[in-house]
Amino acid sequence: MPSIFTKIINGELPGRFVYRDELCVAFLTIAPLKPGHTLVVPIEEIDHWIDVPPELSSHLFAVAQKVSQAIQQEFQPKKVGLMIAGLEVPHTHLHLVPIHALHELDFSKQDQNPDQAMMDDTMNRLRTAVGWNPEEK
């Protein structure tokens, strides 16, 4: 059965994409810790990040760095935290979170009902900062 991320990647469920290429996507999480909280996800369904082939892993981290630079530019956090947990969805994903302190990576504090206008604004800001236009193929 496809993961929820595969359904988002395939357009079966909505997603606020900020980047996409032939190997991975980056989209906003539906329950952000902070505005700008983005997931980088390989298109290929791989459950555990330690099973990701080295070339793909390298690509995921390069994309994460690019998206994190956009998050840094747009939200001006002290750091952009990166976390790989993988317990909630069996599909490798990198969490990119703008933070000022380590305690801000507490996933029990996710916003389960974020403002949708804020989410759309965040998506548009990050797309512009990353330089990705979904209309261009």
Side-chain angles (χ1 to χ4, degrees):
M1 176 191 305
S3 77
I4 190 166
F5 290 161
T6 296
K7 291 178 180 183
I8 293 169
I9 291 165
N10 292 339
E12 298 168 35
L13 293 173
R16 287 184 173 91
F17 291 86
V18 301
Y19 179 85
R20 183 182 194 119
D21 65 27
E22 66 283 350
L23 299 175
C24 72
V25 298
F27 53 84
L28 301 181
T29 179
I30 61 170
L33 288 169
K34 311 261 296 195
H37 182 173
T38 304
L39 305 177
V40 176
V41 183
I43 292 172
E44 181 181 354
E45 256 185 56
I46 302 170
D47 181 11
H48 200 321
W49 73 272
I50 64 174
D51 296 324
V52 175
E55 304 79 26
L56 179 55
S57 181
S58 179
H59 182 74
L60 292 175
F61 278 89
V63 169
Q65 187 174 33
K66 181 176 185 167
V67 173
S68 292
Q69 289 166 342
I71 293 169
Q72 184 71 42
Q73 174 185 315
E74 292 301 311
F75 295 97
Q76 300 293 306
K78 187 171 184 178
K79 300 278 184 175
V80 177
L82 183 147
M83 180 177 277
I84 304 172
L87 297 173
E88 63 282 5
V89 178
H91 191 148
T92 297
H93 55 288
L94 287 63
H95 290 267
L96 309 176
V97 185
I99 59 172
H100 294 278
L102 190 58
H103 72 272
E104 292 176 316
L105 290 173
D106 179 351
F107 281 77
S108 71
K109 294 185 166 65
Q110 289 177 288
D111 184 351
Q112 298 296 327
N113 191 25
D115 178 77
Q116 298 305 300
M118 177 276 297
M119 296 288 285
D120 288 339
D121 179 65
T122 297
M123 175 188 68
N124 290 324
R125 289 171 63 188
L126 291 179
R127 280 181 178 177
T128 299
V130 167
W132 182 72
N133 181 346
E135 303 303 318
E136 297 174 1
K137 299 288 176 181

